[in-house]
Amino acid sequence: MANVKKTAPRLRKLSVYLYIPNIIGYVRVLLNCIAFYLCFSDKRVFSVLYFISFVCDAIDGWCARKFNQVSTFGAVLDMVTDRISTACLLVILSQVYRPGLVFVSLLALDIGSHWLQMYRKVLLSLGNMPTTLDLCCSTFLTGKTSHKDVKDSTNWLFKAYYGNRMFMGYCCVACEVLYLILFLIAGKQSESLVDVVASAVRQGSPLSFLVALSLFGWAIKQTINVIQMKTAADVCVLYDIEKKQKP
């Protein structure tokens, strides 16, 4: 009996690791590793593998809901894979183009926004939260489990972005596609970003059309990151203020 009790938790733990969406997550990690290994030797293969990994992000979410295999581990694996893959691509672009600070800044915004948002969720998951904080942001206290659920937000752009899956999907895809195209059209190292994009537009390259199509979605995504970061920072500040005011 003792052996059965010891092995049961291990089996349950293993079953979560072997959830279908989590297996897809492992495949995403492998695809990204291969893609970045080949990024400078074969740009096209890199772009295909990177984009397949990105598409798998939506597939594993669908599988999690379809097979009732939603897990905290899977959500964390998914988010970490997204952030690291985008971060690596932005680092590469910062070395290919000048000014590289543009891409480094985008990297900082992406990581800062999502990290603050996760910290906000932790604060809101704590019990006995002050009244002001409860009213300002009630993601966890109203039973919500995702930062994508912002129906109570007063920001119209937040509602439009997170309230419409197709619009949000377009913005996310546009952002990644834009970065991939910029990498594909880059020539030698340390080229001017403006010069390369302008040259592609003048030549009437098919990729230039995709750049134009992606720019709007990319701009919306960055705006959402800024708003998200400011909202999460406000929650942290309110938490500190209310905590000091508690008797």
Side-chain angles (χ1 to χ4, degrees), residues 98 191-200 202:
R98 65 173 194 275
E191 287 192 299
S192 169
L193 175 61
V194 176
D195 291 345
V196 172
V197 174
S199 175
R202 284 196 301 269

Side-chain angles (χ1 to χ4, degrees), residues 19-37:
Y19 277 178
I20 294 174
N22 293 343
I23 292 175
I24 295 174
Y26 309 145
V27 173
R28 291 188 65 203
V29 173
L30 179 61
L31 286 174
N32 278 322
C33 289
I34 298 173
F36 283 105
Y37 177 76

